[in-house]
């Protein structure tokens, strides 16, 4: 079976580390990897292929991130050309980025089957570009690989049982990755305090609105006066905070460049807790048994909130400090590990494709 995998953003490379490895070791499959070029800095792209042994993309479409319509349109045209040449049996896409939608749409219009890994997630916030991408991608997919029962339930509620597609609860492919790399962590090349909060920030809803961004940046600065804050900063956000004064000259507000996945595992393993708006990092906090404050109004990973491992705090400083105090003053009662499968998601996906 010939699979064309379309990817382009950091979390998709990390997911491919598990699935492309499984595909490579199964003689029933041949994989052609198409990198759209959405993420292009070395530390947002190449570093993952290098350190995680992901097969080099056969095609790099070099469509750098730009306005949504422009970027998605350029990817659509370029992916279509690859599919016409390669004639795959299935096109595989991950998650909810513009690369995901472009890959799925190009395939569907050519009557090629679409497999969506991380199907069924919903934030119910249609202002998020990711929510639009995931709903549209789900609707035109043939294989819906869901990470959780909640994701399956979302699809059933939306009537997907009436569509010609198959829905599988396969678990979270990022759990495969976390379990595989948990003993391979590498300390980042920076001086780290003994105790710190790990933070990341990149969502459009937090970075496009300058007053919200300033509020969050000031809050990180204030938190770092209680416990140091380490922030591997997404380039999108780096560009937005250059003129902000908060944190300047504060040695405990530690802003670093994006790091590789092995360094990120080290940071998650060694931090006190996580503050983030990242989807992937919310789950990694859970996999490495760390509490997480999510600086959003909603999350797709509702189970983590339900179990008390994750708190939705938005951008409100008093909510953030309340949650920080609660988690720091109540040492972990112990994390279970039964959510999002058992780390064998890749083999379940391949079995379903072969069936
Ligand atoms: C994208 C995804 C988001 C995902 C995130 C993962 C969409 C709509 N959004 O958001 O769902 O959570 O990736 O990280 O697909 N930039 C660079 N170098 C890079 C990459 C980006 O400088 O290698 C800067 C550019 O200024 C770019 C900006 O970041 O314009 C935003 O990049 P883009 O890919 O559009 O969105 P992300 O915020 O990365
Ligand atoms: N990550 C990384 N280096 C960093 C920041 C994040 O390797 O400097 C990893 C993180 O551990 C997780 C993934 O990138 O596996 C999450 O990607 P991101 O937050 O960019 O996107 P999202 O998951 O929100 O779509």
């Amino acid at each position: 079976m010939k699979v064309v995998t379309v990817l382009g953003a950091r979390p998709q490379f990390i997911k491919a580390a598990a699935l492309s490895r499984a595909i490579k070791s199964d003689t029933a499959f041949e994989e052609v990897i198409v990198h759209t070029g959405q993420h292009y800095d070395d530390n947002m792209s190449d570093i993952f292929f290098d350190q995680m042994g992901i097969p080099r993309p056969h095609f790099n479409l070099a469509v750098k991130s730009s306005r949504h319509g422009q970027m998605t349109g350029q990817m659509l045209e370029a992916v279509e050309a690859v599919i016409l040449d390669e004639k795959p049996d299935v096109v595989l896409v991950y998650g909810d980025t513009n690369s995901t939608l472009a890959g799925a749409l190009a395939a569907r219009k050519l009557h090629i089957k679409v497999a969506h890994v991380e199907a069924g997630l919903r934030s119910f916030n249609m202002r998020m570009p990711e929510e639009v991408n995931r709903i549209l991608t789900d609707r035109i997919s043939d294989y819906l690989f869901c990470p959780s029962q909640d994701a399956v339930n979302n699809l059933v509620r939306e009537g997907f049982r009436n569509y010609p597609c198959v829905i599988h609860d396969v678990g979270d492919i990022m759990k495969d990755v976390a379990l595989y790399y948990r003993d391979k962590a590498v300390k980042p090349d920076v001086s780290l305090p003994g105790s710190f909060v790990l933070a990341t920030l990149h969502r459009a809803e937090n970075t496009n609105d300058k007053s919200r961004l300033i509020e969050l940046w000031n809050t990180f600065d204030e938190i770092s006066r209680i416990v140091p804050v380490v922030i591997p900063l997404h380039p999108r956000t780096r560009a937005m905070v250059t003129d902000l004064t908060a944190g300047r000259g504060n040695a405990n507000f530690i802003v670093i460049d994006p790091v590789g996945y092995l360094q990120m595992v080290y940071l998650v393993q060694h931090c006190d807790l996580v503050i983030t708006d990242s989807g992937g990092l919310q789950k990694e906090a859970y996999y490495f048994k760390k509490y997480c404050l999510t600086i959003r109004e909603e999350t797709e990973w509702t189970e983590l909130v339900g179990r008390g491992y994750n708190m939705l705090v938005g951008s409100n400083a008093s909510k953030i400090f309340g949650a920080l105090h609660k988690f720091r003053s109540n040492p972990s009662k112990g994390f279970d590990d039964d959510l999002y499968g058992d780390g064998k998601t890749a083999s379940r996906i391949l079995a379903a494709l072969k069936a």
Side-chain angles (χ1 to χ4, degrees):
M1 177 181 285
K2 186 167 186 178
V3 180
V4 162
T5 297
V6 178
L7 36 64
R10 172 169 68 188
Q12 296 166 337
F13 311 140
I14 292 166
K15 290 162 198 171
L19 196 49
S20 291
R21 185 183 314 110
I23 292 175
K24 204 173 166 190
S25 63
D26 188 328
T27 51
F29 291 94
E30 176 196 353
E31 185 182 34
V32 173
I33 298 182
V34 181
H35 188 325
T36 61
Q38 181 172 350
H39 287 176
Y40 44 87
D41 292 345
D42 280 355
N43 59 14
M44 293 294 287
S45 177
D46 282 5
I47 192 170
F48 299 99
F49 289 87
D50 293 343
Q51 72 171 198
M52 302 174 91
I54 306 164
R56 284 278 147 195
H58 300 75
F59 298 89
N60 190 320
L61 308 179
V63 181
K64 286 189 174 180
S65 45
S66 60
R67 294 192 313 272
H68 286 277
Q70 185 178 46
M71 177 187 348
T72 313
Q74 287 174 356
M75 289 172 184
L76 180 62
E77 187 178 357
V79 173
E80 179 183 64
V82 173
I83 296 176
L84 283 169
D85 277 353
E86 293 293 329
K87 302 180 181 49
D89 300 293
V90 62
V91 168
L92 190 141
V93 294
Y94 296 98
D96 52 22
T97 71
N98 291 345
S99 298
T100 314
L101 178 60
L105 190 52
R108 183 80 216 180
K109 292 285 187 97
L110 293 170
H111 305 153
I112 306 291
K113 286 192 184 308
V114 179
H116 185 202
V117 178
E118 240 181 41
L121 294 177
R122 296 290 182 266
S123 67
F124 303 102
N125 174 359
M126 286 298 281
R127 289 185 60 82
M128 282 182 78
E130 293 85 358
E131 183 76 351
V132 177
N133 290 341
R134 58 172 85 100
I135 289 174
L136 296 177
T137 301
D138 280 346
R139 184 61 188 84
I140 57 176
S141 291
D142 299 273
Y143 299 93
L144 293 144
F145 293 122
C146 298
S148 64
Q149 186 58 45
D150 274 13
V152 172
N153 295 346
N154 286 335
L155 294 177
V156 172
R157 209 177 307 115
E158 290 174 22
F160 275 70
R161 291 273 191 235
N162 302 319
Y163 303 149
C165 59
V166 288
I167 301 173
H168 294 279
D169 179 356
V170 291
D172 176 24
I173 192 73
M174 291 189 89
K175 189 166 191 178
D176 293 32
V177 184
L179 296 184
Y180 185 83
Y181 287 100
R182 67 181 163 189
D183 301 324
K184 301 176 175 65
V186 172
K187 186 180 174 302
D189 196 14
V190 285
S191 153
L192 287 172
S195 159
F196 62 93
V197 163
L198 173 64
T200 73
L201 177 68
H202 77 278
R203 289 264 154 226
E205 71 226 52
N206 283 330
T207 55
N208 284 357
D209 174 351
K210 192 80 187 219
S211 63
R212 189 172 166 113
L213 178 63
I214 291 173
E215 192 182 3
L216 283 166
W217 205 247
N218 286 339
T219 304
F220 286 157
D221 186 18
E222 283 175 47
I223 292 172
S224 73
R225 292 166 200 278
I226 303 169
V227 52
V229 177
V230 176
I231 312 185
L233 198 59
H234 192 289
R236 173 195 197 102
T237 318
R238 172 76 75 174
M240 313 291 286
V241 299
T242 45
D243 58 336
L244 302 187
T245 48
R248 283 205 196 143
N250 173 358
N252 285 334
F253 189 178
I254 304 163
V255 180
I256 60 175
D257 286 335
V259 296
Y261 183 76
L262 302 187
Q263 285 79 5
M264 198 62 186
V265 170
Y266 184 98
L267 291 172
V268 184
Q269 285 174 333
H270 289 81
C271 72
D272 288 12
L273 59 81
V274 170
I275 304 183
T276 192
D277 58 7
S278 160
L281 191 51
Q282 288 176 59
K283 287 169 295 151
E284 282 159 2
Y286 165 69
Y287 298 144
F288 295 109
K289 305 186 189 306
K290 299 295 162 93
Y291 286 122
C292 181
L293 311 191
T294 298
I295 38 182
R296 290 179 50 198
E297 310 304 325
E298 69 279 310
T299 180
E300 299 76 22
W301 306 100
T302 47
E303 305 82 1
L304 300 175
V305 177
R307 296 226 181 156
Y309 304 137
N310 188 332
M311 279 177 83
L312 290 172
V313 291
S315 62
N316 181 282
S318 64
K319 261 195 183 174
I320 295 175
F321 276 102
L324 184 71
H325 179 71
K326 181 169 177 245
F327 280 154
R328 275 171 59 83
S329 57
N330 292 324
S332 165
K333 290 193 295 286
F335 280 66
D336 58 51
D337 62 1
D338 61 313
L339 289 174
Y340 309 128
D342 54 6
K344 298 192 172 75
T345 294
S347 56
R348 277 198 201 90
I349 290 173
L350 296 195
L353 289 175
K354 280 194 268 191

